[in-house]
Amino acid sequence: METVDVLVVGAGLAGLHTARLLAERDLRVLVVDRRRSLAAGVRTTGIFVRRTLDDFDLPGHLLGPGVRDVLLYPPSRRDPVHLTSDRDEYRVADMPAVYDHARRAAETAGARVLLGVRYTGITAGIAHLDGAEAVRARFVVGADGARSAVARDLGLDVNRRLLVGAEIIHPSGSATSVPAFHCVLDPRVAPGYLGWVIDDGHHVHAGVAGYPSAMRSGVRHLLSAFTSDAPGLSALHRPAGPVERRGGPIPVGGVLRRLACPSGLLVGDAAGAVSPLTAGGLDPCLRLSELAATVTADYLRTGDDHVLSAYDGNALRSRFRGRLALRRALASVTSPAAAEAAVALLRTRPGRSAAARILFGDRSFPDVPSPSPSPSPSPVR
């Protein structure tokens, strides 16, 4: 039976980034994903915020033009709050191409990536796979999404507060217009969250997300209702059919408390590494993956369980108190009248200032300190 140092379950951005970093540390890394193509089952809009663009080496040719304008609308769609930054705040990525780029980077570093292989469980260090032979894994990294099977199998925490979202993507007909991000606060179509349209001149992304328990009809029906009159969707933007449909669960309960054990740890959506307020997960997944790779490599080198204490969800959660409070406030906006009042507050000078700090600020996700490597000698494999 093949033995690997690390089995990474899930070939999303978090899994592939973690795999590359571990392979660069000369560990034997295997990545498995049940999808046969990384272009299938994409669940993220692909919006990268400025702080991510500043801090990580992302492939610029796979990113759309910079977006500086954000418009916040009430349910009536009238008199939006228009905020403009003096810097490019957002860029929308071609996510299938970004995943392919991350896969090639992981493989170049020495990781092996198997698609069309489903993780079915782990027993006494033996990981069972549907579509490939079982492997003996010294450590497992769960990068398998908001409803992580790895988290369940390892007895780690699981996400319980989830939004569900749906989105369509199609070519833009506004190549000469200024890229803009339109956000609609309307609990009738996006209870507890937003409807959005982002048009960067290349593609238009239109979507909704909200708490499934508060949706009177399915999320795809709400998406259809939203796009019938969504701001930012002119006649030129309405194709005969969408190029792509996306959707899935979004954890918004904050980073989970118990993220690691001697058998493995969680990254990305599986770890709840998503901003509770904005539901953005691309910046958190990259930052937490850096810490995960350092902790994993140090733990496998030393065999010291104390090393895992550096991967502490409680310490990260303490930095999310404000965001979690704002998440609860947004969830309490349950009527169109309340949403109209909330946007009216944002039109005031303090409201605009607060909105600008959230949308254009530098605090996308808390900085994750890297632990100091332990000097203990490497155990025999």
Side-chain angles (χ1 to χ4, degrees):
M1 180 181 296
E2 179 185 4
T3 297
V4 297
D5 293 313
V6 185
L7 172 67
V8 179
V9 181
L13 197 58
L16 291 170
H17 189 59
T18 305
R20 177 179 69 81
L21 295 173
L22 290 170
E24 289 175 345
R25 290 169 166 84
D26 295 325
L27 293 169
R28 295 187 297 257
V29 182
L30 173 64
V31 183
V32 298
D33 195 296
R34 63 183 179 181
R35 296 174 295 166
R36 295 188 179 277
S37 168
L38 295 183
V42 177
R43 293 186 172 181
T44 176
T45 296
I47 301 173
F48 284 94
V49 298
R50 175 175 45 79
R51 188 166 178 242
T52 317
L53 300 170
D54 289 344
D55 292 350
F56 293 93
D57 184 20
L58 298 168
H61 66 287
L62 301 180
L63 302 172
V67 179
R68 299 186 176 195
D69 288 77
V70 177
L71 292 89
L72 305 173
Y73 297 80
S76 65
R77 316 295 203 266
R78 294 192 297 268
D79 192 17
V81 179
H82 191 163
L83 302 171
T84 301
S85 175
D86 58 1
R87 302 173 290 187
D88 291 343
E89 295 291 346
Y90 306 99
R91 294 181 71 182
V92 186
D94 177 351
M95 286 309 297
V98 168
Y99 289 146
D100 186 61
H101 180 275
R103 174 188 178 177
R104 285 185 278 110
E107 290 176 331
T108 299
R112 194 154 57 96
V113 180
L114 297 181
L115 302 182
V117 174
R118 185 168 65 91
Y119 163 87
T120 60
I122 187 165
T123 306
I126 307 298
H128 306 285
L129 306 172
D130 182 3
E133 296 294 328
V135 297
R136 187 182 304 278
R138 297 175 63 202
F139 204 72
V140 179
V141 172
D144 51 338
R147 298 188 176 103
S148 171
V150 173
R152 178 198 63 216
D153 292 345
L154 298 186
L156 300 175
D157 285 354
V158 297
N159 293 294
R160 302 195 182 281
R161 297 190 64 189
L162 300 167
L163 303 177
V164 62
E167 182 183 66
I168 59 171
I169 304 101
H170 58 77
S172 173
S174 62
T176 60
S177 66
V178 176
F181 194 174
H182 304 266
C183 301
V184 180
L185 182 61
D186 187 346
R188 296 170 299 183
V189 295
Y193 192 58
L194 300 168
W196 66 90
V197 175
I198 186 164
D199 179 5
D200 64 4
H202 289 186
H203 287 87
V204 178
H205 294 249
V208 297
Y211 290 109
S213 60
M215 292 179 175
R216 296 183 180 180
S217 56
V219 66
R220 295 197 181 278
H221 176 80
L222 294 176
L223 175 60
S224 178
F226 173 67
T227 54
S228 66
D229 66 349
L233 285 179
S234 69
L236 291 175
H237 299 142
R238 299 181 188 277
V243 170
E244 185 182 353
R245 289 187 179 272
R246 299 178 183 175
I250 308 166
V252 289
V255 177
L256 300 175
R257 289 181 170 82
R258 188 161 187 256
L259 296 176
C261 68
S263 298
L265 54 73
L266 307 176
V267 294
D269 283 9
V274 174
S275 170
L277 178 59
T278 65
L282 294 176
D283 185 79
C285 87
L286 290 172
R287 295 185 191 280
L288 198 61
S289 293
E290 302 255 322
L291 177 61
T294 299
V295 169
T296 299
D298 201 23
Y299 172 66
L300 291 177
R301 183 175 61 83
T302 65
D304 182 1
D305 288 0
H306 181 70
V307 170
L308 298 173
S309 64
Y311 203 69
D312 181 13
N314 282 309
L316 289 170
R317 285 184 67 86
S318 67
R319 307 184 191 184
F320 275 92
R321 292 192 184 97
R323 293 175 178 86
L324 288 167
L326 289 171
R327 159 55 37 200
R328 290 190 290 271
L330 185 56
S332 69
V333 179
T334 57
S335 70
E340 292 281 350
V343 176
L345 287 175
L346 295 178
R347 294 190 187 102
T348 66
R349 180 174 294 181
R352 290 177 66 88
S353 177
R357 283 198 302 273
I358 292 170
L359 294 168
F360 302 151
D362 293 326
R363 299 180 62 190
S364 172
F365 188 79
D367 287 321
V368 179
S370 296
S372 300
S374 170
S376 302
S378 175
V380 178
R381 290 182 179 177

